[in-house]
Amino acid sequence: MNRILATAAKGATPCHRFSPAALRSKFFVQSRRHFAERVSFPGATGGSVFTEKMTFLSDYPTIPTYRVLDLDGKVIVPDQDPKLGKDECLKIYRTMISLNQMDMIMYEAQRQGRISFYMTNYGEEGTHLGTAAALTNDDVIFGQYREAGALIYRGFSIQQCMHQCYSNEKDLGKGRQMPVHYGSKELNIQTISSPLGTQIPQAAGAAYALKREGKDACVVCFFGEGAASEGDFHAALNIAATTEAPVVFFCRNNGYAISTPAREQYRGDGIASRGHGYGMHTIRVDGNDILAVYNVVKEARRIAIEEHKPVLIEALTYRVGHHSTSDDSSAYRPKKEVSDWMKQDAPINRFRKYIQDQQWWSDEQELALKKQVRAEVLECFAEAEKLKKPAVSNLFTDVYEELPWNLVEQKEKLEALMKKYPSHYDASSHAQE
């Protein structure tokens, strides 16, 4: 026994390599005095060791929030500046302005009854613009519904946004979705789904498919902290972790979900702390700091693709607008709080200060751009509004490659009814097949 003890003490045969039966032997009970005994149960995957001290853990280190810019748009630590070029920074900023102008016009259009629904992006522009800039067009995006900036950055035009919101004949979704439920196969952006959280496990599966195909790409999945309370969130993180899928889970934590303050949503250290439980690389970032978001997503993408590991990002931000046109946020937060955030830390203002410090932007350019973009948005608005609705035949297409007999029968019956009772089934506002 002395020879065995000596061998173990030298590290030639660590104790955790012995069989479970040996671990329970008298020898190993005695040897705990010399070195910690590693737990050998098959469910103990994290390297736990035995202890004779009973302790319930309740305090954990609070995860810090990474940033690059201060509130005045100044880089705090020079080597954290990603040194994006002038053209890239101006593309990001112009996209923010375009999105802002579109939001203002479309919100008012909904209030006038010209479209049925809308959701603005005010205050959260930094989360999706910083992300979009750090990705390639081969990376697949699963959005929630407040990431229109990522689409526009990739080339989804304002006109296409208008067509979708009006559900007209040029809407890529053929009028089958609510407004702001964008999507583009060409741009690798999956169509938005209304139910909260459904995109999260879908993203895990899509990422696993990319891995099996050997693609040099990842999946980025956006969701809010409210959606992180759904069971789909936990299922998705576990699937992604165990399959080592190249997916970046991006949580926009604006503190209110739809209408519930964070303190009433969860306990613990926000959403980022959940990543550790699933064995994930995790980081928290200032979501109003575009450069910080860019740095974080760029590194997360590398980890996901090169190291074959999923990543969880929690971006702290603030939703300035109402949750949607169906919401009145004054019912759950004071109006002064909103106005204070707009003045103190709007991501568009912080990034503008940064590009002005680089001598890339001026007040004159700001006024000219806003005037130009507003005119463009209004022109696209007018174009989309005058178009007809999609053809009625689209009720039956795009599910089956060939229509089954029952749908053929239903289609024929509908056509007969429309022909027999034209005043009740007026299709003049719809495009023809």
Side-chain angles (χ1 to χ4, degrees):
M1 181 178 291
N2 289 336
R3 286 198 302 273
I4 296 174
L5 282 171
T7 302
K10 291 178 181 177
T13 309
C15 67
H16 65 269
R17 295 182 182 175
F18 285 85
S19 68
L23 284 170
R24 298 185 183 92
S25 70
K26 181 178 179 181
F27 154 59
F28 281 103
V29 172
Q30 293 174 339
S31 67
R32 289 180 198 170
R33 302 169 187 170
H34 304 284
F35 51 87
E37 180 185 336
R38 184 171 174 177
V39 177
S40 64
F41 296 107
T45 60
S48 178
V49 296
F50 282 108
T51 179
E52 285 70 44
K53 182 179 179 181
M54 184 174 68
T55 305
F56 289 90
L57 301 180
S58 59
D59 295 323
Y60 303 87
T62 299
I63 298 172
T65 301
Y66 171 73
R67 65 175 180 172
V68 173
L69 299 174
D70 63 18
L71 297 183
D72 294 320
K74 308 287 186 184
V75 176
I76 300 168
V77 179
D79 66 4
Q80 292 301 301
D81 187 344
K83 305 290 185 183
L84 297 177
K86 177 181 178 180
D87 290 345
E88 180 68 24
C89 287
L90 295 186
K91 178 182 179 180
I92 292 171
Y93 189 69
R94 288 190 176 107
T95 303
M96 295 176 81
I97 294 293
S98 298
L99 181 62
N100 192 265
Q101 292 293 314
M102 183 177 77
D103 279 349
M104 285 193 288
I105 290 170
M106 296 309 288
Y107 184 87
E108 290 304 318
Q110 192 281 332
R111 286 294 185 247
Q112 295 167 14
R114 300 166 90 160
I115 60 173
S116 61
F117 179 81
Y118 196 73
M119 302 183 82
T120 64
N121 298 268
Y122 301 138
E124 298 187 45
E125 302 95 337
T127 59
H128 39 110
L129 267 302
T131 299
L135 302 176
T136 72
N137 284 356
D138 290 329
D139 297 321
V140 182
I141 293 178
F142 282 77
Q144 182 156 311
Y145 39 54
R146 215 182 300 277
E147 295 86 24
L151 281 97
I152 297 172
Y153 181 90
R154 281 199 177 182
F156 199 80
S157 68
I158 296 294
Q159 187 68 76
Q160 287 176 302
C161 291
M162 293 294 180
H163 290 326
Q164 196 284 324
C165 287
Y166 270 97
S167 298
N168 63 34
E169 59 185 304
K170 290 189 177 181
D171 170 20
L172 297 180
K174 301 181 181 180
R176 296 167 179 149
Q177 283 276 16
M178 293 172 62
V180 306
H181 287 50
Y182 310 112
S184 172
K185 181 178 180 180
E186 178 186 359
L187 298 175
N188 274 328
I189 298 176
Q190 300 290 329
T191 302
I192 307 301
S193 297
S194 288
L196 282 179
T198 55
Q199 78 277 14
I200 313 177
Q202 292 168 2
Y208 184 55
L210 290 179
K211 176 183 176 180
R212 288 178 61 86
E213 293 173 1
K215 294 285 187 66
D216 183 24
C218 71
V219 171
V220 173
C221 179
F222 289 98
F223 55 93
E225 87 283 358
S229 295
E230 296 283 339
D232 282 346
F233 166 82
H234 298 279
L237 265 64
N238 195 48
I239 291 168
T242 54
T243 59
E244 299 181 333
V247 55
V248 177
F249 296 106
F250 193 105
C251 176
R252 294 179 289 95
N253 188 344
N254 62 36
Y256 283 101
I258 293 178
S259 59
T260 306
R263 64 182 178 275
E264 298 176 22
Q265 293 185 54
Y266 53 75
R267 294 294 183 267
D269 186 18
I271 307 303
S273 62
R274 303 177 191 180
H276 176 69
Y278 290 104
M280 285 188 179
H281 283 66
T282 305
I283 192 168
R284 176 176 288 144
V285 63
D286 179 348
N288 287 7
D289 181 346
I290 283 184
L291 298 187
V293 173
Y294 173 87
N295 284 349
V296 163
V297 174
K298 186 175 182 181
E299 177 61 13
R301 181 183 186 274
R302 185 199 66 77
I303 293 170
I305 296 174
E306 295 181 12
E307 299 183 20
H308 309 291
K309 294 177 181 177
V311 179
L312 174 62
I313 298 172
E314 178 184 18
L316 299 179
T317 184
Y318 189 86
R319 168 167 56 79
V320 171
H322 304 297
H323 174 73
S324 72
T325 49
S326 302
D327 174 46
D328 177 8
S329 65
S330 65
Y332 52 85
R333 61 182 183 179
K335 291 183 179 179
K336 185 178 184 303
E337 176 185 302
V338 178
S339 62
D340 286 347
W341 272 97
M342 290 178 66
K343 295 173 185 176
Q344 297 170 12
D345 191 19
I348 195 168
N349 293 340
R350 202 196 301 193
F351 193 60
R352 178 185 173 185
K353 292 173 183 176
Y354 173 78
I355 59 176
Q356 284 180 323
D357 282 349
Q358 309 302 313
Q359 305 300 313
W360 293 341
W361 201 247
S362 65
D363 292 342
E364 292 74 22
Q365 287 173 295
E366 180 82 8
L367 292 173
L369 178 62
K370 286 184 176 179
K371 183 178 180 180
Q372 173 197 332
V373 169
R374 180 173 176 80
E376 178 190 345
V377 172
L378 287 171
E379 183 180 342
C380 293
F381 176 86
E383 172 66 21
E385 193 171 39
K386 70 183 182 183
L387 293 176
K388 291 188 174 185
K389 298 298 182 185
V392 175
S393 60
N394 287 319
L395 286 169
F396 303 94
T397 58
D398 298 329
V399 175
Y400 300 96
E401 185 175 1
E402 294 184 13
L403 285 184
W405 67 269
N406 59 319
L407 288 185
V408 171
E409 189 176 279
Q410 290 175 33
K411 185 172 183 288
E412 291 172 349
K413 286 182 177 180
L414 177 61
E415 290 171 347
L417 280 170
M418 293 174 67
K419 186 176 182 180
K420 186 176 181 179
Y421 303 104
S423 61
H424 293 283
Y425 298 95
D426 182 11
S428 61
S429 62
H430 290 262
Q432 299 299 309
E433 291 188 47

